[in-house]
Amino acid sequence: MADTVVGANPDPHVTGDDPDRRDFIHIAAGVAALGLVGGLAWPFIDQMNPAGDTLALASIEFDLSKVEPGQQVVVKWRGKPLFVRNRTPKEIQEAIQGDHADLRDPATDESRHKPGKANWLVLVGTCTHLGCVPTFGGGEYGGWFCPCHGSVYDTSGRIRKGPAPKNLEVPTYAFLSDTKVKIG
Amino acid sequence: MSGHSTYEPKTGFERWLDTRLPIIRFASDTIVSFPTPKNLNYWWTFGGILALMLGIQIVSGIILAMHYVPHVDHAFDSVQRIKRDVNFGWLIQGMHANGASMFFLAVYVHMFRNLYYGSYKAPREVLWILGCVIYLLMIGTAFFGYVLPWGQMSFHGAVVITNLIGAIPLVGPAITTWLWGGFAVDNPTLNRFFSLHYLLPFMIAGVVGLHIWALHVPGNNNPTGVNVSSPDDTVPFHPYYTVKDGFAISVFLILYATFVFYLPDALGDAANYIQANPLVTPAHIVPEWYLLPFYAILRAVPNKLMGVILMFGAIATLFVLPWLDTSKVRSMRYRPTIRLYFFLFALDCIILGFCGAHAPDDMVIPGVAGLQLGDANLNSFVWLSRIAALYYFVYFWVINPLMGLTETPLPVPQSISAPVLSHPATTPTGAVASPEKRG
């Protein structure tokens, strides 16, 4: 902008360091281009997030009468396994005792089931370490054992041993009736 | 690509083209007349081998994409169909799957060659970093490619690796969902991995172009590590190294063909012949052999986030190596002390590979009850991988900086030709410095 040729006629548009109309046009054009790129970046990033139909399939209903005490049924929910476990009184007792143990991700057993439905445990069946599917009844706490890297969960699905940082996740669910739950 | 060009257009068409698009001059300067140190050994042939492997992977991959169906319901069957029904599909799929292993084998030789001869040191730091970028892209490509057959190991490998990102505090889970395009590894994931698997090799090809460009500015390093000091130290690339590379490629292809024709599944995992099932995890998830050392580092750490950081740190370390090595002497031929640590490092990487292939609680020496130390069984693979992972980092971050300051290197020759010509036993009567210049 400030280039001047010696001996040339002074350019009326060049006024030293003061911004002129060309500076304004340069800055405006630059900002417009940045805005365009920035505005388009989000659609190009967000297209990878779960699509509408994927989100629409996000909740399922499940009939609990299929699960006898001491059993677990694995349901597919959002592409992941979901554990629906009908706990025996002994397993519930063990889980309540575990409340006082030294827990990595502290939670009471009560907070992990619906009120008055202590026998029903509904959990996302993926290990919180790296997403493997823990095996039912394995490990020294009688809950689950992850074969991949040796995480051990108790009968409340709380992490007790191994590399996993968190308890098995409790999904959002609600009892529609005594024998029916809606998950998601 | 650099320096002065010796190309002289011979025909009228070449002269015409040379003033418009000097592409023949470019090719001539790059692969014909390029002055190359005359003492390169066979460890230097792996660059050519890698270029060939990239070509083979791209060509076979494009063909496979014509028959492959990137959908969770059809992917597994379509790969089996390629292997069984598509004409010569068994050959092309076998070349592609085993080609990935051969590609990594060659890249590891190429990288250890660099470490031994100090090829990453000034003025070749950018060349080395571009190589590290290629290696990272190769890991990404191999990972995406391994998911496509949609077998049990494909699927659960993808689950484990994408879950690593979930270890990032706060944003981790959101990024994982974004990568998946859903709430688990599913059809959207398979689709995008296919797209990226097709894209990345072309990015590799682009970076290979930069890599060769960065090679041709300082020129090749050589086994002595000393700079080229006169034209007597070099020979033209063609025919000297086209022939040498050609021979090495032929030998390498014998190994490759042995796998393709006689052991097509030896390097794969049997669990990948079972279609992906999200509800059942294979008892033992392992990556392909070429990523086992990093997997061992990941599992060596009891904390998820720290394991992920160290695993990526193991690769990131390579990028800064030119500044960790304080020695002015390039070649370890003249650095007898660090050479021992280097061979120990090579062994360490192999040990890490073994650790990655075993379950953490497996015993290293079977039958021995274990060296119990408090809560830890030192005879387990997890402890072996901890020791090996520690040495991996110590080698780069402690031994390399310290050794350059404390060791006494052997005398370095004056020039590339000097050690040959000054040695009476190796100089027959009448030997001259540049035999290639005689009639």
Side-chain angles (χ1 to χ4, degrees), chain B residues 123-185:
Chain B
R124 296 185 184 83
E125 302 96 322
V126 172
L127 174 60
W128 165 257
I129 289 170
L130 287 168
C132 292
V133 171
I134 293 171
Y135 178 59
L136 261 186
L137 289 171
M138 279 175 66
I139 292 175
T141 311
F143 165 65
F144 291 136
Y146 194 58
V147 177
L148 303 185
W150 209 244
Q152 271 291 64
M153 207 52 87
S154 295
F155 178 85
H156 290 281
V159 169
V160 166
I161 299 300
T162 49
N163 266 299
L164 291 180
I165 295 150
I168 302 169
L170 302 175
V171 290
I175 295 177
T176 311
T177 303
W178 176 75
L179 275 178
W180 286 340
F183 304 104
V185 174

Side-chain angles (χ1 to χ4, degrees), chain B residues 288-308:
Chain B
E288 292 277 83
W289 68 267
Y290 40 79
L291 298 177
L292 287 173
F294 298 110
Y295 192 56
I297 292 175
L298 166 76
R299 293 194 310 184
V301 190
N303 178 296
K304 181 178 170 182
L305 180 61
M306 274 310 290
V308 175

Side-chain angles (χ1 to χ4, degrees), chain A residues 2-181:
Chain A
D3 288 353
T4 44
V5 181
V6 177
N9 290 330
D11 184 344
H13 299 295
V14 177
T15 53
D17 291 331
D18 294 334
D20 61 11
R21 285 188 299 174
R22 277 192 193 169
D23 288 335
F24 175 79
I25 288 167
H26 281 148
I27 292 166
V31 168
L34 272 180
L36 192 69
V37 170
L40 273 176
W42 179 242
F44 276 84
I45 292 166
D46 190 42
Q47 50 82 24
M48 278 175 69
N49 272 321
D53 62 330
T54 311
L55 292 169
L57 294 170
S59 56
I60 54 164
E61 286 180 18
F62 181 72
D63 180 7
L64 293 171
S65 61
K66 291 186 233 172
V67 194
E68 297 290 323
Q71 279 189 334
Q72 166 186 282
V73 167
V74 182
V75 201
K76 200 170 157 190
W77 174 66
R78 294 179 166 186
K80 289 182 198 179
L82 193 76
F83 295 156
V84 181
R85 182 166 182 163
N86 192 346
R87 299 191 290 178
T88 60
K90 181 173 166 281
E91 287 167 346
I92 298 168
Q93 199 54 42
E94 284 168 0
I96 292 168
Q97 280 164 9
D99 289 354
H100 309 293
D102 181 19
L103 297 170
R104 186 176 304 168
D105 182 11
T108 60
D109 185 58
E110 183 133 35
S111 67
R112 298 179 56 79
H113 59 74
K114 296 290 173 197
K117 307 272 185 192
N119 60 323
W120 291 111
L121 208 54
V122 180
L123 300 169
V124 176
T126 54
C127 183
T128 56
H129 181 225
L130 294 173
C132 297
V133 185
T135 49
F136 171 71
E140 60 234 65
Y141 294 94
W144 290 269
F145 175 74
C146 181
C148 290
H149 305 99
S151 293
V152 178
Y153 297 90
D154 65 12
T155 49
S156 192
R158 291 173 299 204
I159 180 66
R160 300 299 285 268
K161 244 181 98 177
K166 288 207 154 59
N167 301 333
L168 291 179
E169 187 192 339
V170 181
T172 311
Y173 70 100
F175 278 86
L176 300 178
S177 69
D178 273 354
T179 58
K180 197 159 232 180
V181 283

Side-chain angles (χ1 to χ4, degrees), chain B residues 392-404:
Chain B
Y392 182 100
F393 287 99
V394 165
Y395 176 74
F396 286 115
W397 288 93
V398 179
I399 294 174
N400 260 293
L402 278 186
M403 206 52 73

Side-chain angles (χ1 to χ4, degrees), chain B residues 104-126:
Chain B
F104 273 95
L105 176 67
V107 89
Y108 284 135
V109 175
H110 194 67
M111 288 164 81
F112 276 103
R113 193 281 320 271
N114 268 282
L115 294 182
Y116 186 81
Y117 293 109
S119 303
Y120 50 83
K121 292 188 206 187
R124 296 185 184 83
E125 302 96 322
V126 172

